[in-house]
Amino acid sequence: RHRPGHAPGATTAFVIALFMTRSRFDPGINELPGRIPIFPLTGALLLPGGRLPLNIYEPRYLALFDDALAGNRLVGMIQPAIANNEKEEQAPALYETGCAGRITSFSETDDGRYLVTLTGLIRFHLREELPAEAYRVVAADFEDFHHDLVESDPAIDRERLLSALKVYFEMFSISGDWNSIEQAPAERLVTSLSMLCPFEPWEKQALLESENIATRADALTALLEMSIHQREGETARH
């Protein structure tokens, strides 16, 4: 019900632009809060350095962003891990890993919505959910993810990644600025593609939980190749 302000299949020229370098406004590791409000959203992936547009309209989440804007501007993005036997009215269980983002863009609409951009800062482990009223709040543990705050340009198998990406884009009718793609630094390329390729929620969670950019690049390449093989199999059956 709470959808990011972008759609799967956006052009890659737009994908590569959805990245922000570290800002002087970002909190340091010792300034991160022990508790953060969370916005549970199935299928939405926020990664450190990535930018996620959000369309906020439910009263509880309008209240969440009101409070965040009045405070440290940090919001945790995390996916629900919904079991088949859970009732819809229950608050869904959550994955144990999410990503904290800082509100870097904000505007209001005439019909009472907020258009917000979150810029990914650092991942966190969910230690426990805390008592709250209007929206959900968790105790966040950032200890394992200090390296998220440092920009990097690791060695990745770019040739294999781009080879799979070209086939994937063609199969799913996604257009891209290949000059921009081929020149993009590894972190920007992997982060942007991971966030906006239309993968399944569990696949996006696997990308989030990858240890670093290099392992995320390997996981991204594997997911692209799996999608290609699945589509080829479906085509052959028909």
Side-chain angles (χ1 to χ4, degrees), residues 63-81:
L64 185 160
F65 280 89
D66 281 338
D67 291 346
L69 285 164
N72 56 24
R73 297 196 173 198
L74 295 182
V75 176
M77 292 297 301
I78 194 165
Q79 291 199 98

Side-chain angles (χ1 to χ4, degrees), residues 27 31-36 72 74 140 142:
E31 300 172 305
L32 294 170
R35 51 179 284 157
I36 56 172
N72 56 24
L74 295 182
F142 302 99

Side-chain angles (χ1 to χ4, degrees), residues 187-204:
E187 182 179 9
R188 180 174 301 186
L189 178 67
V190 173
T191 296
S192 300
L193 293 174
S194 295
M195 286 180 59
L196 289 186
C197 282
F199 296 127
E200 294 296 323
W202 68 268
E203 295 172 322
K204 293 196 172 188

Side-chain angles (χ1 to χ4, degrees), residues 57-201:
Y57 52 88
E58 284 197 23
R60 56 181 166 170
Y61 295 121
L62 292 171
L64 185 160
F65 280 89
D66 281 338
D67 291 346
L69 285 164
N72 56 24
R73 297 196 173 198
L74 295 182
V75 176
M77 292 297 301
I78 194 165
Q79 291 199 98
I82 301 175
N84 293 331
N85 60 353
E86 284 187 319
K87 296 181 181 179
E88 186 175 347
E89 64 268 19
Q90 293 178 324
L94 302 169
Y95 278 105
E96 295 183 358
T97 304
C99 184
R102 188 171 62 82
I103 299 171
T104 52
S105 175
F106 168 82
S107 64
E108 302 176 8
T109 66
D110 292 339
D111 59 355
R113 293 176 293 116
Y114 288 162
L115 302 179
V116 176
T117 298
L118 280 184
T119 297
L121 183 63
I122 183 173
R123 291 171 292 168
F124 63 89
H125 290 311
L126 191 161
R127 286 171 42 202
E128 63 175 328
E129 188 159 353
L130 302 173
E133 295 183 4
Y135 47 82
R136 302 173 75 175
V137 177
V138 302
D141 182 357
F142 302 99
E143 185 64 31
D144 290 341
F145 303 112
H146 290 192
H147 58 279
D148 286 349
L149 298 176
V150 180
E151 292 183 61
S152 63
D153 190 20
I156 64 173
D157 191 343
R158 184 180 288 261
E159 182 178 353
R160 180 182 167 198
L161 172 59
L162 294 184
S163 177
L165 190 65
K166 288 178 181 179
V167 177
Y168 181 87
F169 275 15
E170 182 177 350
M171 280 189 163
F172 291 90
S173 300
I174 302 174
S175 60
D177 178 355
W178 285 102
N179 184 57
S180 174
I181 292 171
E182 291 169 352
Q183 294 183 20
E187 182 179 9
R188 180 174 301 186
L189 178 67
V190 173
T191 296
S192 300
L193 293 174
S194 295
M195 286 180 59
L196 289 186
C197 282
F199 296 127
E200 294 296 323

